[in-house]
Amino acid sequence: DAKTTQPNSMESNEEEPVHLPCNHSTISGTDYIHWYRQLPSQGPEYVIHGLTSNVNNRMASLAIAEDRKSSTLILHRATLRDAAVYYCILRDPNSGYALNFGKGTSLLVTP
Amino acid sequence: NAGVTQTPKFRILKIGQSMTLQCTQDMNHNYMYWYRQDPGMGLKLIYYSVGAGITDKGEVPNGYNVSRSTTEDFPLRLELAAPSQTSVYFCASRGSGTVNTEAFFGQGTRLTVV
C-alpha cells in the first residue's frame, strides 16, 4: 500500500491561513489524494481530493506537487470549528478502495 | 437526509458477551466499510462489502463477523467480546461511480468491554 506521512500536530491562529503538509513518496500514477477531517467525537468527513492539478472547493484548496510526492491542504481562514484531525489518504485498491487512514495531523486553532 | 446511521451510540459489554453493531445507509450505496479507532490512532479497516451478498476481510478482522443481506444494512457481529475490542467503531458507505466518490461516515459506536 502507498502510505502517507503527516506531522502529528499543528497550531494556527483564528482567521489565518493554514497549510497542512502531506508526503506520499510511493504514490502510484493513478492514485488520487484524498483529505478527510474528523471533528471531536464525530466520524470523519470528506474535505477534498485531487489527482494532479490543484483543486478548490468551498472548504479548502489542495495543492499537489508536480512530482505528486507531496501535497498541501490549505484552509484559507481558519476558524475555531476547523479544529480537528486532518487525514491525508490514498485509497487501497485491494480492499474495495477503502480509505487507508494514518494518524493524521491534529490542528489546534486558537482565538 | 439520514445518511449513515449507527446504533447503538454507546455500549458496555462484559468479557465473553456477544453483540451486533448496526449500520444502515439510505443512499443506495454499494460499498460499505467497518472501521475501528483506538485512542489517538487513525481508523483501521475491519471488514468491507462491495455489494449485497459480498463481504471481505480488512486489516483487523479477527474477533468480528459481518453479513450483507441487503444494500442498506451492514451489521458487525462480535461473538466473544474481549477487552482488546474496546474501541470506537465507524461504519462508512460510498457510491459506485468512481473509486474516488466521497465516503460518508456514521457517528460511531463507542464500545467498552470490561
Side-chain angles (χ1 to χ4, degrees), chain A residues 35-97:
Chain A
W35 284 81
Y36 280 70
R37 73 179 186 180
Q38 187 174 21
L39 301 172
S41 300
Q42 294 192 25
E45 63 178 359
Y46 169 81
V47 177
I48 201 166
H49 75 276
L51 181 63
T52 56
S53 304
N54 294 345
V55 184
N56 301 293
N57 66 21
R58 63 174 179 81
M59 288 182 70
S61 295
L62 177 59
I64 301 172
E66 196 170 334
D67 64 5
R68 297 199 346 110
K69 294 184 186 300
S70 65
S71 61
T72 302
L73 179 71
I74 302 165
L75 307 179
H76 296 285
R77 288 185 65 197
T79 68
L80 296 178
R81 194 194 172 278
D82 291 322
V85 178
Y86 287 79
Y87 297 97
C88 170
I89 295 168
L90 305 178
R91 287 192 186 273
D92 179 3
N94 298 314
S95 300
Y97 288 93

Side-chain angles (χ1 to χ4, degrees), chain A residues 30-34 36 38 41-46 49 87 91-92 94-104, chain B residues 31 33 35 37 40-43 45 48 50 57-59 90 94 99-108 110:
Chain A
T30 56
D31 279 334
Y32 277 70
I33 301 144
H34 302 260
Y36 280 70
Q38 187 174 21
S41 300
Q42 294 192 25
E45 63 178 359
Y46 169 81
H49 75 276
Y87 297 97
R91 287 192 186 273
D92 179 3
N94 298 314
S95 300
Y97 288 93
L99 297 166
N100 194 1
F101 287 84
K103 290 186 180 181
Chain B
Y31 290 81
Y33 309 90
Y35 292 88
Q37 185 175 32
M41 305 294 286
L43 283 70
L45 184 67
Y48 67 97
V50 300
K57 296 177 181 179
E59 182 184 358
F90 290 100
R94 71 172 182 88
V99 298
N100 300 300
T101 51
E102 176 183 351
F104 295 84
F105 286 79
Q107 290 299 297
R110 185 175 298 273

Side-chain angles (χ1 to χ4, degrees), chain B residues 7 10 13 17-18 20 23 25 32-34 36 44 55 62 65 88 90 94 104 109-110 112:
Chain B
T7 56
F10 304 92
L13 275 184
Q17 286 186 324
S18 301
T20 299
C23 175
Q25 51 91 9
M32 295 189 74
Y33 309 90
W34 272 107
R36 61 175 285 172
K44 293 187 177 180
T55 63
N62 291 344
N65 279 299
V88 181
F90 290 100
R94 71 172 182 88
F104 295 84
T109 294
R110 185 175 298 273
T112 302

